Amino acid sequence: MARPAATRRSSTVGSALAVTLVAWLLVLQLLLVAPAPAAATRGISSSGVKKLLGLAKKASKLGRQSRIREARRRNSNTDMLGSAAADDAGFIVLYNVSVGATAQSKVVSGVVDVLNGFVWTTECPAAPVRVPCASQTCRSLVTNETTDACGANTGDRCEYVYMYGAEFNTTGYVANETLTVGVGGTSTMMASASLLGCSNTSTVPLDGAPGSFGFNRGPLSLVSQLGVNKFSYYLVPDEAGSSDSESIVLLGDAAVPQTRRGGRSTPLLRSTALPDYYYVKLTSIQVDGQALGGIPAGAFDLAADGSSGGVVMSTLSAVTYLQADAYNALKQVMMRKIKAQVVNGSALGDFDLCYNAQSVAALTFPKITLVLDGATLELTSVHYFYRDNVTGLQCLTMLPTPASVPFGSILGSMVQAGTNMIYDVGAGTLTLEEGAAAPVPSQVSLMAVASLLLAWLLLF
């Protein structure tokens, strides 16, 4: 799953080439995952996405340090009460990325995805530099193509179809353009001759965001094409009833701890079979300070051949997926500790553990700790419960990982909220700095959150 793969489109469709970038969608109701590797095409089951719940809310582009401080105060006062469950979640949207190096260049924005390895937008310049279908660049994206890469096409465009599950996709053509990103003040990062998708049709529900910026280790991701070895993001924790949610992303040398405490680091592991993803070592899960029993040894480990298991990071999945035994153990403990009647949550999809929000509003919820190798994520109900104000349901945003997925567990965005997540890809470390948002360097380099909860549900 390391990099985009492409295949030739059938001539009966009337197009020459379909660059098939097979992305994975695992989600919360929310998870856009990354495409399949060129060398070993592996896709998720084509049963695809079941439905879109359509819970969406736009956020302001401009962040303000006072709001960040206020959000941090709110988070510290949630007190693990049921009333503090999140009623919203967020995409990170990268603003002010310039595409093109001429007077016709265009400033675009897109959703940041640490699992994705491709850049695409519906807002390319009016006259982008198109990659010819017969070029070596286009051929290099093609899987199992040894002859005519253009097929029946007589045009000059290297066309692609980028799939998210079986039901959503973006289609267009590959362009070769300069990408420029502001990183603070007048400083910029530039990647000339970058490859990106110019989308002319998209059914991917990104709440108005016109595209996606892949941040994984793959050669076509934004960070790879910019030559960035460090990046960080801080997701402001959501609180039920709050109207604003903003986040900050920093690139390069700016991606450092923001406090003297500096945070604690855990190794970024790498799979030999799926080398583009960011794996971490999860050693145990604690509930109110007690380690969960019933989890087999090695349940969170990456398989020896790298083809399955392990724990990967996601910024687009609000939900956290846990290895089946670990999830079952957690569910049983949560049911014992939460003194309320479990209710059917099918009105929100396939949430597994739900309550009537009013029945738990005055309860104290348990504290969950995800213990990593060298660091921890301390979770209160705002990190693992979602409250839907329409149905009155409050549901656990942790689910068992589908059996067909090659990851053992996936740590979603909600559990990362309130922590400055600093990726040092060169050093192979992920630093977790609790409650530390970076100052907003400038409007030019602002990367804010598009506050929403996309509820996508996959059946595998």
Side-chain angles (χ1 to χ4, degrees):
M1 303 296 296
R3 62 194 65 178
T7 57
R8 184 173 55 204
R9 185 179 296 175
S10 170
S11 59
T12 61
V13 181
S15 296
L17 184 65
V19 178
T20 305
L21 307 164
V22 182
W24 303 24
L25 231 175
L26 308 167
V27 109
L28 147 59
Q29 323 275 123
L30 171 78
L31 177 56
L32 302 170
V33 189
T41 303
R42 295 184 58 169
I44 279 182
S45 169
S46 60
S47 56
V49 180
K50 184 179 180 181
K51 60 182 176 180
L52 169 67
L53 298 183
L55 305 171
K57 176 167 68 75
K58 287 192 175 182
S60 166
K61 281 187 180 181
L62 299 180
R64 289 175 173 79
Q65 188 65 15
S66 60
R67 287 186 182 176
I68 293 176
R69 288 195 297 266
E70 176 61 25
R72 288 161 60 184
R73 285 195 294 269
R74 288 202 310 266
N75 184 50
S76 64
N77 293 326
T78 55
D79 200 26
M80 296 181 289
L81 298 180
S83 59
D87 64 359
D88 196 12
F91 280 155
I92 303 170
V93 176
L94 172 59
Y95 291 95
N96 298 310
V97 176
S98 176
V99 178
T102 68
Q104 297 190 10
S105 64
K106 191 166 186 178
V107 176
V108 302
S109 61
V111 172
V112 173
D113 181 2
V114 298
L115 279 172
N116 184 17
F118 189 62
V119 177
W120 65 270
T121 178
T122 60
E123 298 183 341
C124 273
V129 179
R130 298 174 179 177
V131 174
C133 63
S135 68
Q136 184 58 42
T137 299
C138 185
R139 289 174 181 269
S140 68
L141 297 173
V142 178
T143 300
N144 298 325
E145 288 287 346
T146 58
T147 56
D148 183 11
C150 290
N153 186 38
T154 58
D156 65 346
R157 304 191 304 181
C158 182
E159 297 181 344
Y160 75 88
V161 177
Y162 188 94
M163 302 297 299
Y164 290 92
E167 299 183 18
F168 301 118
N169 67 73
T170 169
T171 64
Y173 56 91
V174 179
N176 195 332
E177 284 284 0
T178 296
L179 297 177
T180 307
V181 183
V183 294
T186 59
S187 299
T188 60
M189 290 183 177
M190 180 181 295
S192 60
S194 301
L195 294 177
L196 71 152
C198 290
S199 174
N200 48 41
T201 303
S202 174
T203 61
V204 185
L206 297 179
D207 190 41
S212 174
F213 296 119
F215 264 56
N216 75 9
R217 290 178 167 122
L220 297 184
S221 74
L222 182 64
V223 291
S224 294
Q225 296 198 78
L226 289 173
V228 174
N229 284 321
K230 294 181 182 179
F231 65 90
S232 69
Y233 54 82
Y234 176 87
L235 297 111
V236 175
D238 177 63
E239 182 182 23
S242 64
S243 59
D244 293 296
S245 182
E246 296 168 349
S247 298
I248 301 298
V249 178
L250 297 176
L251 300 175
D253 292 339
V256 295
Q258 303 298 311
T259 68
R260 291 184 179 181
R261 298 189 303 274
R264 302 186 66 185
S265 296
T266 188
L268 281 174
L269 308 180
R270 192 165 190 167
S271 162
T272 54
L274 306 172
D276 293 347
Y277 301 116
Y278 302 112
Y279 289 85
V280 293
K281 183 174 180 59
L282 180 64
T283 60
S284 68
I285 300 175
Q286 298 177 355
V287 178
D288 286 338
Q290 298 295 316
L292 287 178
I295 303 178
F300 301 119
D301 291 349
L302 188 62
D305 64 359
S307 64
S308 62
V311 180
V312 295
M313 304 299 298
S314 170
T315 51
L316 286 187
S317 173
V319 80
T320 286
Y321 287 89
L322 295 174
Q323 187 269 353
D325 293 320
Y327 171 77
N328 291 332
L330 177 64
K331 177 184 176 182
Q332 295 304 313
V333 170
M334 296 292 283
M335 291 175 65
R336 290 199 302 268
K337 285 182 172 286
I338 299 172
K339 306 299 183 181
Q341 179 66 44
V342 175
V343 299
N344 188 318
S346 59
L348 284 182
D350 283 356
F351 280 109
D352 190 42
L353 181 59
C354 294
Y355 299 89
N356 180 288
Q358 290 186 344
S359 71
V360 298
L363 298 181
T364 298
F365 277 35
K367 178 180 180 180
I368 298 175
T369 303
L370 301 180
V371 182
L372 304 173
D373 180 10
T376 59
L377 279 169
E378 308 284 346
L379 311 179
T380 63
S381 57
V382 75
H383 296 104
Y384 61 77
F385 260 105
Y386 168 69
R387 188 178 77 177
D388 180 68
N389 295 320
V390 175
T391 62
L393 291 171
Q394 185 159 312
C395 299
L396 180 68
T397 56
M398 294 184 178
L399 290 171
T401 305
S404 59
V405 175
F407 307 130
S409 302
I410 302 163
L411 300 188
S413 61
M414 285 182 69
V415 301
Q416 301 173 56
T419 301
N420 192 25
M421 310 292 290
I422 308 165
Y423 290 71
D424 189 332
V425 182
T429 60
L430 171 63
T431 298
L432 283 61
E433 184 185 24
E434 184 178 355
V440 179
S442 71
Q443 181 173 344
V444 173
S445 62
L446 175 66
M447 305 171 192
V449 75
S451 180
L452 60 97
L453 178 61
L454 257 193
W456 282 357
L457 186 59
L458 279 185
L459 294 181
F460 295 95

